[in-house]
Amino acid sequence: MQSNRIARRDWLVGTGASLLTLATSAKTVAASAQPHAQKSSDAEDASRARRMQWWHEARFGMFVHWGLYSVLGRHEWVMENEGIPVADYEQLAKRFQPKPNAARAWAKLAKQAGQKYMVMTSKHHEGFCNFDTKLTNYCAPKQGPGRDLVHEYVEAARAEGLRFGFYYSLMDWHHPDGARCATNEDARKRFVEYTHGLIRELMTNYGKVDVLWYDVSWPLDARGWESERMNKMVFELQPDIIVNNRNALPGDFSTPEQEIVADQRGRAWESCMTLNESWGYHHADDAWKNSKMIVRNLVYCAHDAGNYLLNIGPKPDGSIPEESVRILTEVGHWTSRNGESIHTQDRCQPHHSNYAAFTRKGNTLYMHIYFWPGETVALAGFKTGVKSARFLASGQQIKFQQDRFRVRFMGLPNEAPDHPVTTIAIECESEPLQDTDFVRRERPRNNV
């Protein structure tokens, strides 16, 4: 799929103020996008498999971008895109006064939508900490909110039985050493200790944490951030946690952004995407994806054993934009009937159809039909024997015929029986396989 928005890393190339900054950005982007290959030991592989089992079963999570940028409502990069001076931007911290326990509605919506975990911004690029910290006064308890917003989020996720994690941006537009750390060793040491200290607080003060989601490593590389020491500390404090690949190390999983691309090396991966075209609240952004597109994206991720981390951008008071609620509620209606086709899925080989996508669990193939064709649904080149078929949502059995070149499901209603996508569960004799090239080569051509 094509990205519908420039990725975070790509923004950096165009936002530097000097050739030095541009060169450093490009170098860091490359380092972040292609972490150095590290051969893991059997013990490390076993540890990763254990730690990530719940994550692979989950498949669907909620991303939450919330911070001072929400007050302006013009995109999470508003400070940099509009060149707002630090002193002026700091005043937003006094105006940021969300209602108590706003995160409860986020967690309830996530659970209703079929999402199994949440990841919230603890500190975005703007440098403001949504959590209680002893290292800076630029944090929620000491500014407008007057309390620890991360704590409220953690309690909300736990109340709904959801796993949770923290997003943490290494890049910091507010800290005085946030840029000069690239060229001044004393500044680098100070800023790295500050960064490690904030992460230590996040890993210490909230009980068991499931995910640490690093973001933008500009302007340093893994050596500059001392990322190996950083991760070592994280795992010592949280032995069961999983971490991503955005502190310039490979981590436990890859993070394609605004596109769905399976990791070609076979690593675990998670596609993070927005509901419109902004991560943070943007009052004028009306480019909303509909529920059909969200379900299709979820299916595409599950097809290749990937996860889908779908973002909401709460308003400054913490309420969820009405369109986000409507879309995720519709998605939740679908997952409540069809969730078994998404969670705990295996990699799926069949993929050729002009109106459907596929997921698999063992010998069961789930055919997700997003453009309903009518009375007959057909699948070309299906090489595995079909034992039975049913509508997943209702359990109603479906008649079928199968020959060497296709399987057809017949006697279907003219209109799609489910919304926004109808799913057929196809029980097969063995792992479902498809070969459309076989059809092209071997199909009888009537001696023409």
Side-chain angles (χ1 to χ4, degrees), residues 257-282:
E257 180 172 323
Q258 297 289 42
E259 60 181 358
I260 297 173
V261 181
D263 193 294
Q264 297 303 305
R265 297 159 293 182
R267 301 182 73 240
W269 61 280
E270 173 189 73
S271 179
C272 57
M273 301 183 79
T274 51
L275 270 169
N276 51 10
E277 294 187 2
S278 306
W279 298 94
Y281 175 60
H282 194 320

mmCIF file of all heavy atoms in Angstrom, residues 257-282:
data_model
loop_
_atom_site.group_PDB
_atom_site.id
_atom_site.type_symbol
_atom_site.label_atom_id
_atom_site.label_comp_id
_atom_site.label_asym_id
_atom_site.label_seq_id
_atom_site.Cartn_x
_atom_site.Cartn_y
_atom_site.Cartn_z
ATOM 1 N N GLU A 257 5.529 2.714 8.817
ATOM 2 C CA GLU A 257 4.640 3.813 9.193
ATOM 3 C C GLU A 257 3.815 4.283 8.004
ATOM 4 O O GLU A 257 4.353 4.568 6.935
ATOM 5 C CB GLU A 257 5.471 4.980 9.732
ATOM 6 C CG GLU A 257 4.651 6.180 10.163
ATOM 7 C CD GLU A 257 5.498 7.221 10.875
ATOM 8 O OE1 GLU A 257 6.402 6.835 11.628
ATOM 9 O OE2 GLU A 257 5.255 8.428 10.667
ATOM 10 N N GLN A 258 2.500 4.339 8.195
ATOM 11 C CA GLN A 258 1.554 4.785 7.174
ATOM 12 C C GLN A 258 1.584 3.905 5.920
ATOM 13 O O GLN A 258 1.168 4.326 4.847
ATOM 14 C CB GLN A 258 1.788 6.252 6.799
ATOM 15 C CG GLN A 258 1.560 7.237 7.933
ATOM 16 C CD GLN A 258 0.095 7.398 8.306
ATOM 17 O OE1 GLN A 258 -0.646 6.434 8.367
ATOM 18 N NE2 GLN A 258 -0.323 8.625 8.561
ATOM 19 N N GLU A 259 2.096 2.701 6.047
ATOM 20 C CA GLU A 259 2.047 1.727 4.969
ATOM 21 C C GLU A 259 2.113 0.333 5.585
ATOM 22 O O GLU A 259 2.566 0.163 6.721
ATOM 23 C CB GLU A 259 3.191 1.929 3.976
ATOM 24 C CG GLU A 259 4.574 1.796 4.585
ATOM 25 C CD GLU A 259 5.678 2.030 3.574
ATOM 26 O OE1 GLU A 259 5.347 2.255 2.381
ATOM 27 O OE2 GLU A 259 6.857 1.987 3.951
ATOM 28 N N ILE A 260 1.646 -0.647 4.838
ATOM 29 C CA ILE A 260 1.615 -2.027 5.319
ATOM 30 C C ILE A 260 2.621 -2.820 4.502
ATOM 31 O O ILE A 260 2.389 -3.133 3.329
ATOM 32 C CB ILE A 260 0.196 -2.613 5.208
ATOM 33 C CG1 ILE A 260 -0.757 -1.828 6.118
ATOM 34 C CG2 ILE A 260 0.195 -4.091 5.580
ATOM 35 C CD1 ILE A 260 -2.214 -2.209 5.968
ATOM 36 N N VAL A 261 3.751 -3.104 5.112
ATOM 37 C CA VAL A 261 4.842 -3.800 4.439
ATOM 38 C C VAL A 261 5.435 -4.808 5.414
ATOM 39 O O VAL A 261 6.014 -4.416 6.441
ATOM 40 C CB VAL A 261 5.944 -2.820 3.973
ATOM 41 C CG1 VAL A 261 7.042 -3.588 3.253
ATOM 42 C CG2 VAL A 261 5.365 -1.737 3.077
ATOM 43 N N ALA A 262 5.294 -6.077 5.119
ATOM 44 C CA ALA A 262 5.872 -7.108 5.970
ATOM 45 C C ALA A 262 7.390 -7.015 5.936
ATOM 46 O O ALA A 262 7.988 -6.717 4.893
ATOM 47 C CB ALA A 262 5.419 -8.491 5.508
ATOM 48 N N ASP A 263 8.019 -7.253 7.064
ATOM 49 C CA ASP A 263 9.477 -7.237 7.134
ATOM 50 C C ASP A 263 10.029 -8.368 6.280
ATOM 51 O O ASP A 263 9.694 -9.537 6.476
ATOM 52 C CB ASP A 263 9.938 -7.382 8.588
ATOM 53 C CG ASP A 263 11.410 -7.052 8.757
ATOM 54 O OD1 ASP A 263 12.239 -7.811 8.205
ATOM 55 O OD2 ASP A 263 11.726 -6.057 9.425
ATOM 56 N N GLN A 264 10.872 -8.031 5.315
ATOM 57 C CA GLN A 264 11.365 -9.013 4.360
ATOM 58 C C GLN A 264 12.337 -10.004 4.982
ATOM 59 O O GLN A 264 12.652 -11.031 4.390
ATOM 60 C CB GLN A 264 12.038 -8.304 3.177
ATOM 61 C CG GLN A 264 11.091 -7.435 2.371
ATOM 62 C CD GLN A 264 9.899 -8.228 1.851
ATOM 63 O OE1 GLN A 264 10.059 -9.252 1.182
ATOM 64 N NE2 GLN A 264 8.692 -7.768 2.170
ATOM 65 N N ARG A 265 12.837 -9.689 6.198
ATOM 66 C CA ARG A 265 13.764 -10.596 6.872
ATOM 67 C C ARG A 265 13.026 -11.585 7.769
ATOM 68 O O ARG A 265 13.649 -12.377 8.469
ATOM 69 C CB ARG A 265 14.755 -9.782 7.710
ATOM 70 C CG ARG A 265 15.643 -8.861 6.882
ATOM 71 C CD ARG A 265 16.219 -7.752 7.735
ATOM 72 N NE ARG A 265 15.172 -6.841 8.186
ATOM 73 C CZ ARG A 265 15.405 -5.758 8.920
ATOM 74 N NH1 ARG A 265 16.631 -5.468 9.287
ATOM 75 N NH2 ARG A 265 14.403 -4.983 9.296
ATOM 76 N N GLY A 266 11.690 -11.518 7.762
ATOM 77 C CA GLY A 266 10.917 -12.439 8.568
ATOM 78 C C GLY A 266 10.769 -12.019 10.013
ATOM 79 O O GLY A 266 10.279 -12.790 10.844
ATOM 80 N N ARG A 267 11.191 -10.789 10.339
ATOM 81 C CA ARG A 267 11.069 -10.300 11.705
ATOM 82 C C ARG A 267 9.615 -9.928 12.003
ATOM 83 O O ARG A 267 8.805 -9.687 11.106
ATOM 84 C CB ARG A 267 11.945 -9.058 11.926
ATOM 85 C CG ARG A 267 13.418 -9.274 11.676
ATOM 86 C CD ARG A 267 14.212 -8.008 11.969
ATOM 87 N NE ARG A 267 14.301 -7.776 13.407
ATOM 88 C CZ ARG A 267 13.848 -6.695 14.019
ATOM 89 N NH1 ARG A 267 13.236 -5.748 13.334
ATOM 90 N NH2 ARG A 267 13.985 -6.555 15.328
ATOM 91 N N ALA A 268 9.301 -9.858 13.292
ATOM 92 C CA ALA A 268 7.990 -9.358 13.694
ATOM 93 C C ALA A 268 7.860 -7.905 13.253
ATOM 94 O O ALA A 268 8.843 -7.154 13.228
ATOM 95 C CB ALA A 268 7.843 -9.476 15.210
ATOM 96 N N TRP A 269 6.636 -7.501 12.898
ATOM 97 C CA TRP A 269 6.447 -6.130 12.421
ATOM 98 C C TRP A 269 5.066 -5.634 12.810
ATOM 99 O O TRP A 269 4.134 -6.398 13.040
ATOM 100 C CB TRP A 269 6.642 -6.036 10.910
ATOM 101 C CG TRP A 269 5.691 -6.875 10.113
ATOM 102 C CD1 TRP A 269 5.781 -8.213 9.866
ATOM 103 C CD2 TRP A 269 4.480 -6.437 9.476
ATOM 104 N NE1 TRP A 269 4.708 -8.637 9.104
ATOM 105 C CE2 TRP A 269 3.900 -7.574 8.850
ATOM 106 C CE3 TRP A 269 3.842 -5.193 9.365
ATOM 107 C CZ2 TRP A 269 2.707 -7.493 8.132
ATOM 108 C CZ3 TRP A 269 2.652 -5.118 8.643
ATOM 109 C CH2 TRP A 269 2.102 -6.259 8.040
ATOM 110 N N GLU A 270 4.965 -4.312 12.891
ATOM 111 C CA GLU A 270 3.722 -3.651 13.285
ATOM 112 C C GLU A 270 3.568 -2.383 12.448
ATOM 113 O O GLU A 270 4.436 -1.507 12.480
ATOM 114 C CB GLU A 270 3.783 -3.292 14.768
ATOM 115 C CG GLU A 270 2.620 -2.445 15.271
ATOM 116 C CD GLU A 270 2.884 -1.966 16.696
ATOM 117 O OE1 GLU A 270 3.740 -1.063 16.875
ATOM 118 O OE2 GLU A 270 2.261 -2.510 17.616
ATOM 119 N N SER A 271 2.496 -2.297 11.705
ATOM 120 C CA SER A 271 2.226 -1.105 10.913
ATOM 121 C C SER A 271 1.446 -0.105 11.757
ATOM 122 O O SER A 271 0.365 -0.413 12.260
ATOM 123 C CB SER A 271 1.423 -1.463 9.657
ATOM 124 O OG SER A 271 1.149 -0.312 8.893
ATOM 125 N N CYS A 272 2.009 1.102 11.925
ATOM 126 C CA CYS A 272 1.291 2.155 12.647
ATOM 127 C C CYS A 272 0.701 3.118 11.627
ATOM 128 O O CYS A 272 1.368 3.551 10.694
ATOM 129 C CB CYS A 272 2.204 2.880 13.632
ATOM 130 S SG CYS A 272 3.687 3.640 12.925
ATOM 131 N N MET A 273 -0.594 3.436 11.804
ATOM 132 C CA MET A 273 -1.289 4.272 10.833
ATOM 133 C C MET A 273 -2.288 5.177 11.545
ATOM 134 O O MET A 273 -2.706 4.903 12.675
ATOM 135 C CB MET A 273 -2.010 3.412 9.789
ATOM 136 C CG MET A 273 -1.094 2.497 9.013
ATOM 137 S SD MET A 273 -1.931 1.530 7.723
ATOM 138 C CE MET A 273 -2.080 2.771 6.447
ATOM 139 N N THR A 274 -2.659 6.247 10.862
ATOM 140 C CA THR A 274 -3.603 7.222 11.398
ATOM 141 C C THR A 274 -5.008 6.961 10.876
ATOM 142 O O THR A 274 -5.194 6.356 9.821
ATOM 143 C CB THR A 274 -3.180 8.646 11.001
ATOM 144 O OG1 THR A 274 -2.942 8.687 9.578
ATOM 145 C CG2 THR A 274 -1.915 9.058 11.724
ATOM 146 N N LEU A 275 -5.998 7.484 11.598
ATOM 147 C CA LEU A 275 -7.385 7.409 11.141
ATOM 148 C C LEU A 275 -7.688 8.479 10.091
ATOM 149 O O LEU A 275 -8.536 8.272 9.220
ATOM 150 C CB LEU A 275 -8.333 7.577 12.326
ATOM 151 C CG LEU A 275 -8.753 6.292 13.043
ATOM 152 C CD1 LEU A 275 -9.464 6.604 14.348
ATOM 153 C CD2 LEU A 275 -9.640 5.435 12.162
ATOM 154 N N ASN A 276 -7.029 9.625 10.212
ATOM 155 C CA ASN A 276 -7.105 10.619 9.137
ATOM 156 C C ASN A 276 -5.681 10.809 8.611
ATOM 157 O O ASN A 276 -5.058 9.819 8.258
ATOM 158 C CB ASN A 276 -7.771 11.915 9.603
ATOM 159 C CG ASN A 276 -7.182 12.475 10.886
ATOM 160 O OD1 ASN A 276 -6.144 12.031 11.383
ATOM 161 N ND2 ASN A 276 -7.843 13.462 11.445
ATOM 162 N N GLU A 277 -5.142 12.019 8.550
ATOM 163 C CA GLU A 277 -3.761 12.183 8.103
ATOM 164 C C GLU A 277 -2.889 12.830 9.174
ATOM 165 O O GLU A 277 -1.782 13.297 8.876
ATOM 166 C CB GLU A 277 -3.717 12.992 6.801
ATOM 167 C CG GLU A 277 -4.359 12.248 5.639
ATOM 168 C CD GLU A 277 -4.174 12.943 4.304
ATOM 169 O OE1 GLU A 277 -3.513 14.000 4.277
ATOM 170 O OE2 GLU A 277 -4.693 12.429 3.295
ATOM 171 N N SER A 278 -3.363 12.859 10.404
ATOM 172 C CA SER A 278 -2.616 13.468 11.499
ATOM 173 C C SER A 278 -2.550 12.491 12.661
ATOM 174 O O SER A 278 -3.491 11.732 12.910
ATOM 175 C CB SER A 278 -3.297 14.762 11.958
ATOM 176 O OG SER A 278 -3.490 15.651 10.881
ATOM 177 N N TRP A 279 -1.446 12.551 13.397
ATOM 178 C CA TRP A 279 -1.318 11.738 14.607
ATOM 179 C C TRP A 279 -1.946 12.472 15.787
ATOM 180 O O TRP A 279 -2.793 11.929 16.481
ATOM 181 C CB TRP A 279 0.157 11.426 14.878
ATOM 182 C CG TRP A 279 0.804 10.632 13.799
ATOM 183 C CD1 TRP A 279 1.518 11.116 12.733
ATOM 184 C CD2 TRP A 279 0.795 9.208 13.646
ATOM 185 N NE1 TRP A 279 1.947 10.078 11.928
ATOM 186 C CE2 TRP A 279 1.522 8.899 12.479
ATOM 187 C CE3 TRP A 279 0.252 8.169 14.399
ATOM 188 C CZ2 TRP A 279 1.717 7.592 12.043
ATOM 189 C CZ3 TRP A 279 0.444 6.864 13.978
ATOM 190 C CH2 TRP A 279 1.164 6.579 12.807
ATOM 191 N N GLY A 280 -1.525 13.706 16.007
ATOM 192 C CA GLY A 280 -2.147 14.514 17.048
ATOM 193 C C GLY A 280 -3.451 15.124 16.559
ATOM 194 O O GLY A 280 -3.752 15.123 15.354
ATOM 195 N N TYR A 281 -4.223 15.667 17.478
ATOM 196 C CA TYR A 281 -5.510 16.269 17.120
ATOM 197 C C TYR A 281 -5.317 17.399 16.113
ATOM 198 O O TYR A 281 -4.492 18.287 16.300
ATOM 199 C CB TYR A 281 -6.189 16.806 18.381
ATOM 200 C CG TYR A 281 -7.471 17.567 18.106
ATOM 201 C CD1 TYR A 281 -8.540 16.953 17.476
ATOM 202 C CD2 TYR A 281 -7.593 18.908 18.486
ATOM 203 C CE1 TYR A 281 -9.711 17.641 17.220
ATOM 204 C CE2 TYR A 281 -8.763 19.605 18.239
ATOM 205 C CZ TYR A 281 -9.819 18.969 17.606
ATOM 206 O OH TYR A 281 -10.974 19.664 17.351
ATOM 207 N N HIS A 282 -6.081 17.348 15.030
ATOM 208 C CA HIS A 282 -6.054 18.386 13.988
ATOM 209 C C HIS A 282 -7.510 18.681 13.637
ATOM 210 O O HIS A 282 -8.166 17.895 12.963
ATOM 211 C CB HIS A 282 -5.295 17.875 12.773
ATOM 212 C CG HIS A 282 -4.913 18.943 11.788
ATOM 213 N ND1 HIS A 282 -5.748 19.985 11.449
ATOM 214 C CD2 HIS A 282 -3.767 19.139 11.080
ATOM 215 C CE1 HIS A 282 -5.152 20.755 10.560
ATOM 216 N NE2 HIS A 282 -3.943 20.279 10.322
#
